[in-house]
Amino acid sequence: MSAVVVNEFGGPERVESAEVPVPRPAAGQVLIRVRAAGLNPVDGAVRAGVFGGAGQRLGLGWDVAGEIAEVGADVTGWSRGDRVVGLHYGPVKPLGTHAEYAVLDASAVAAAPATVDAVAAAALPLGGLTAARAVDQLGLAPGSTLLVTGAAGVVGGLAVQLAARAGLVVTALAGAEDEELVRSLGAAAFVPRGAAPAGPVDGVLDTAVLGEPALGFVRDGGVYVGLIPGAAPAAERGIRVEEQEVAADGRHLARLVALVDEGALTLRVADAFPLADAQKAHALLTTPGTRGRIILTA
């Protein structure tokens, strides 16, 4: 099969297409015929060597949408041909989901949305689980005020939708050109990038990784949740500071799929490329202002 890999760290030019054996599922795993897979910023970080792995062939891709091609031993509830989405967790791995086939733990997959195609569905797993887990981690009661930084990004936009659905009063911080977008996703108020909200908020979900400036928007005793381990600012003024680490969780993913099918969660795709054009997709990933997930199709 064809798979997208990197053998040397660097820019988009380091992305290669390799012919590799089709992987086989072990006990508790499923083999998925990949139809679409999201290209995330973490893939660019892997390509650049942020997570290490020098001297190894590294596979790329965390999100996947496709059909089950083979079921490993001890797997129940899934059959060949089932349409699924899933999250292949881990930055340093020999093969990811940017391939014609991918092996995932059965516990990491959920039935695919019925209302969108595979390209849109592939935009859900990593961004959706990251946003949902972060909103849950805030622990804010309905009616509380929340500032989402980077609200026009994939994770930020999903977080705005999920937080508003949970009854939080969301202020979106994004570029001035994105005000209409973030309000359409459920933001009650808008703050242009570089400005500050009108007053302190109960919590901040810092998808833009602003750090200390974002912490400064939180009221005494509030909460700050960041998305990159080790990047959160030091706690102060009684603020609870936490970091969210995504996990492959098929049950949680199934709840997000249900929201997509209810029309309560909008998935955004910037562009789609075949696996053979993975370098072009990575070049777009480095382009500022891209809105929506970039997808690779197999």
Side-chain angles (χ1 to χ4, degrees), residues 89-159:
Y89 177 88
V92 180
K93 53 199 176 192
L95 288 173
T97 62
H98 295 172
E100 292 178 303
Y101 290 88
V103 167
L104 272 70
D105 291 340
S107 61
V109 303
T115 56
V116 299
D117 63 13
V119 169
L124 177 63
L126 181 56
L129 286 169
T130 299
R133 287 168 63 88
V135 171
D136 289 347
Q137 197 166 346
L138 288 162
L140 294 172
S144 301
T145 55
L146 172 68
L147 177 72
V148 177
T149 71
V154 171
V155 174
L158 290 167

Side-chain angles (χ1 to χ4, degrees), residues 80-261:
R80 184 174 180 178
D82 288 346
R83 293 179 58 249
V84 294
V85 290
L87 180 67
H88 191 343
Y89 177 88
V92 180
K93 53 199 176 192
L95 288 173
T97 62
H98 295 172
E100 292 178 303
Y101 290 88
V103 167
L104 272 70
D105 291 340
S107 61
V109 303
T115 56
V116 299
D117 63 13
V119 169
L124 177 63
L126 181 56
L129 286 169
T130 299
R133 287 168 63 88
V135 171
D136 289 347
Q137 197 166 346
L138 288 162
L140 294 172
S144 301
T145 55
L146 172 68
L147 177 72
V148 177
T149 71
V154 171
V155 174
L158 290 167
V160 168
Q161 295 178 72
L162 292 167
R165 181 178 174 81
L168 305 183
V169 181
V170 180
T171 296
L173 191 155
E177 68 279 8
D178 292 314
E179 179 174 3
E180 182 178 353
L181 167 64
V182 295
R183 286 190 181 275
S184 75
L185 297 176
F190 174 77
V191 176
R193 188 183 298 118
V201 292
D202 296 315
V204 163
L205 202 172
D206 191 15
T207 78
V209 200
L210 300 183
E212 288 186 8
L215 187 72
F217 301 146
V218 182
R219 65 166 173 81
D220 294 356
V223 58
Y224 168 103
V225 172
L227 302 183
I228 299 180
E236 60 179 46
R237 297 184 287 112
I239 297 171
R240 174 168 56 91
V241 173
E242 297 194 8
E243 295 169 330
Q244 193 281 138
E245 174 71 10
V246 74
D249 184 340
R251 290 184 179 181
H252 198 169
L253 184 56
R255 296 198 292 272
L256 297 174
V257 167
L259 293 179
V260 172
D261 283 339

Side-chain angles (χ1 to χ4, degrees), residues 12 41 152-153 175 177-178 193 270 281-292 294:
E177 68 279 8
D178 292 314
R193 188 183 298 118
H282 275 257
L284 181 59
L285 184 67
T286 65
T287 303
T290 301
R291 293 290 177 259
I294 301 166

